Amino acid sequence: MDDVLTGLPVGEQAPMFTLRDQNGQDVSLADHLGDRHVLLVFFPWAFSGICTGELTEIRDNLGAFVTEDVQVLTVSCDAMFSLRAYADRDAYFFPLLSDFWPHGEVARAYGVFDEKAGVARRGTFLIGPDGVIRWSLVTAIGERRDFSGYHDALARA
């Protein structure tokens, strides 16, 4: 199972969760559903090259990711304090959520926790306002994800 890059399938109900963001505030998936979609982006490590490139792509094109219809939530197994330093260093003003303890619980619920590495794989899920997964993409830890599929899925939503 560890080598299979799947995650939860499209059409399945997204597991609800509450995690702390980089500022120590609780953020619940349920709080963002109802009227909006949520783009849920799991990443393995703060401060790593590929992760920084991906989050910078979101930051630099924020209007294409965060709108009145969509909220971006990013998740890693890093501690909240590491995520705060990372967000401060790179000016990430969208939520970076810590799945640190219980370690990887949310990543496991979405089927993207890599047991060998102890981190989340690059799982990306577009969750509809009804909490149903509308699109997903899971890539290996060392493989940069392509967000174009997200944009296509959102255009169809």
Side-chain angles (χ1 to χ4, degrees):
M1 174 82 181
D2 282 341
D3 295 337
V4 177
L5 299 176
T6 56
L8 292 179
V10 170
E12 188 152 326
Q13 192 71 31
M16 293 296 130
F17 62 83
T18 300
L19 295 172
R20 284 201 170 165
D21 71 8
Q22 70 267 31
N23 299 308
Q25 301 299 310
D26 284 344
V27 175
S28 295
L29 176 61
D31 291 345
H32 295 284
L33 298 176
D35 297 327
R36 304 175 88 183
H37 290 80
V38 170
L39 179 64
L40 187 60
V41 178
F42 289 90
F43 64 98
W45 293 289
F47 300 102
S48 66
I50 296 172
C51 297
T52 298
E54 292 175 339
L55 296 186
T56 298
E57 180 179 347
I58 294 171
R59 181 199 67 202
D60 291 351
N61 300 290
L62 199 58
F65 288 94
V66 177
T67 68
E68 62 185 34
D69 298 320
V70 182
Q71 174 63 51
V72 170
L73 300 176
T74 66
V75 180
S76 85
C77 296
D78 291 298
M80 178 196 69
F81 300 107
S82 296
L83 293 176
R84 175 63 187 261
Y86 189 41
D88 287 350
R89 185 193 81 171
D90 292 328
Y92 299 138
F93 297 108
F94 45 85
L96 276 63
L97 306 179
S98 175
D99 192 16
F100 183 72
W101 199 257
H103 191 73
E105 180 177 63
V106 175
R108 277 186 185 89
Y110 279 82
V112 296
F113 189 75
D114 186 305
E115 294 290 341
K116 291 178 186 171
V119 298
R121 291 186 183 97
R122 296 180 192 286
T124 316
F125 300 89
L126 178 62
I127 303 167
D130 57 358
V132 173
I133 297 170
R134 304 290 173 87
W135 173 83
S136 70
L137 173 70
V138 180
T139 59
I141 291 171
E143 180 184 339
R144 183 178 170 97
R145 77 189 92 207
D146 179 1
F147 285 110
S148 64
Y150 153 70
H151 297 295
D152 294 342
L154 188 59
R156 291 188 308 270

